[in-house]
Amino acid sequence: MKLGMHIRGGILAALIVFSAPVGSVVVTPAAAQSVQSIAVEGNRRVEADTIRSYFRGRGGRLDQMAIDDGVKALYDTGLFQNVEIRHVGGGRLLVVVTENAVIGRVAFEGNKKIKDEQLQAEVQSKPRGTYSRPVVQSDTLRIAEIYRRSGRYDVRVVPEIIEGSNSRVDLIFRIDEGAKTGVKLIEFVGNNAFSAARLRDVIKTHESNFLSFLGNNDIYDPDRVEADRDLIRRFYLKHGYAEVQVVAALTEYDPNRKGFLVTFKIEEGSQYRVGSVEFHTSIPNFDAPSLRSRSQVSVGSVYNVEAIEKSVEDMQLEASRRGYAFAVVRVGGDRDFNAHTAAVVFNVDEGRRQYIERIDIRGNTRTRDYVIRREFDVSEGDAYNQALVDRTERRLKNLDYFKTVKITREPGSSTDRVILAVELEEKSTGDFSVSGGYSTTDGALGEVSISERNLLGRGLFAKASISYGQYARGYSLSFVEPYLLDYRVALGLDLYQRQQFANTYISYGQTTLGFSPHLGFQLREDLTLQARYSITRNQIDLPGYLMNCNNVQGSAAYNPSPAYMNTLPGGWDGTNLGCYSDGEVSLPLRKELAQGAQIVSSVGYSLIWNLLDNNKNPTDGLLVNWSLDYAGVGGDVSYLKNTVDVKYYQPLVADMVGLIHLQGGILNKVGNTELRMYDHFQMGPNLVRGFEPYGIGPRDINPYGTQDALGGTKYWGASAELQVPFWFLPKEVGLKGALYADAGGLYDYQGPTEWALTNEMNTAGCTKPGNGGPGTCAGLVYDDSKIVRSSVGVGLIWQSPFGPLRFDYAVPLTKGKYDRVQEFRFGGGTTFWPDLNVVWKRKAGFLSRESAEASQKEKHDARPAHHAFDWNETA
């Protein structure tokens, strides 16, 4: 290939420099004779006695073999450019040496994409070190390899020497970086069951596109291509193709496209289903069929190697829990090539009795040993169990503290002892980010945050963030101890403050200051329990334009002066509220304004069942989030709130994915404490798309007021969505379309509806509900129809490098009389108000980062919109 010629040309240029002889060893012919003395010439820095020490004869006799060994040893020191041996007669041996020069400095010229510091760390030639041609040659090849790994195969590296005084030289590496060499096309041959677009989504190597500058997966890397072969094979095995073979991954450089063409040759074979599942054992008194509950394989299902491997691990762990520490589960069975079925047999046998002698941890330069050891379910002296070791390796990878994690078994001091060697490579765990986003609800937003996932090497998580937006501002401080008192229980502490201003959707502002400790428990790998306590201080305020005293009487505006108001008992209307009770804002708001700041003290839990195949971009599986919160543990507010959120993904034909989303919630009054409007569910596009935020459900319909959304105590929602890829675009672009239909309802407002006035003489002109129209002072007129809201729409989803973006256009089919419509909606950027009790759960190894993000979205979808950002708006 032309590229290969360029590479070889670059290396050849380096080799030409080294083509001159590095010195000759001249040995004067002589018969075997006794050498009486050794003289040394040409040495400047190395002592003569040191050179003589390399020539030691056998039995006092220095023969030709000993002389050759001495010459070779001198060259191996790297201190000499040339060594010459001469017999000068009289039993004298003359060693003439030419010492290598000393490197004064090492410099790099022409490198723009890779910094000097990185190259300096890779080369072996160092300032004040000895100059050695073989070492420089090795350095030249190493520099070329570094550029090759970064996708620049046309690199040329030429070393040059600048001689100085006193046997000193400057070493200069002149680099011609060449152009970036990417993967222009990825093709598949032999794939009939899955499209090329679906397989491109499986592998790590991507095709170059207009967004490639933001990543490096489009750079040709032969090791990554080889790993992609295994990913393709595993993908087919997961879908029942037990005979699949990825025969080859062919790469070719195309000079016209100036990039690589990668072709994967696949032999799929036939798809198999499970014909039977059996359980056998050779262990006395062990009930093998009782392990059936641990099997994820069922008769008639697609033969799934990953499900079989997971079943083996679960069965082996269950056997260990029953006291059979050395039990080993192996899979056998036969395939019926005509019926395309496979018989699966789980054989439980007694394994080799081995014990863990020692656990050696290597490479953890920053992370404390105990942070790593606590991820093990075994310790020194325990029975060796491969399933437990594999699970520990996964946990260490999920911590996200290390670039690489590998646990290997080494021989111990005896045949029944093993040593577990944990090889680690640390990576940076601190993050500083400046991010931004936009939503139709909260406008433009910006956030600055700093976080550390492995604080002080102790496995602690800490984060501080400040957000500033058009309609929302705040800060948050978070801390997580993933192992409370050395138990696998995570403790999280959050302190946050959030201020939201009045906007086009709500007429009032809200300020929330809160503190919340959390506890996380992993019940199973797919089932997690979160317990929490929360105490918040909530306060509502009005914008300046609603602070005027505009008491509407008929068509005339009444604007009493502050002096006149002060002459009246209890204010102008007897409520001590002044203009808050003149009909401009809804009665529930007036009452909450009168009450001032409220303290909410609550306890709650969330139960999350996660069976998704991929938490970041799911295509198959189920996710259930059930939450319960009780307010009334002290404080000023009491209620009981239940929410449930279910999402089910199902792959369809041609890479299309179906999604069913069900959600619901109920708010119950506790005791005699009146429910506040603030505590009600507020819904909009997070329930039925095509409506404004706060656009659905009960609403104040006073024609003279702000007609605020009141919220409801009950809601339900159901959505069906079809996600369709754009086959004509590269998969890496991350664009796909969506067709959906939504239905739902929000109803049963149970907040304040009446407010008795204490001084009727000051309420002239105020009417109560039912006396000729809506009341403007003492009563609430509102709409709480139980009509089903529904809509249909289309969406554009983009997993962009800047964060997830979504564009939706939905048309309501049925709606309430006073509902507010918003057909187009856009949101994107960073999620600004994360549910940190999910983040710290990941730190305990319960979830991957993607799972935390997915679970976070589930909770926000069902949360009242005034408590947090609507995930559908910001993601």
Side-chain angles (χ1 to χ4, degrees), residues 636-654:
D636 304 315
V637 178
S638 297
Y639 60 77
L640 182 65
K641 184 178 293 186
N642 269 285
T643 62
V644 63
D645 196 281
V646 180
K647 282 192 174 183
Y648 175 69
Y649 294 85
Q650 176 64 46
L652 305 174
V653 297

Side-chain angles (χ1 to χ4, degrees), residues 660-681:
I660 300 296
H661 183 195
L662 305 176
Q663 54 182 314
I666 184 169
L667 173 68
N668 293 313
K669 179 179 176 181
V670 176
N672 296 322
T673 304
E674 189 175 45
L675 290 175
R676 303 181 304 168
M677 186 192 81
Y678 190 92
D679 301 318
H680 283 60
F681 297 111

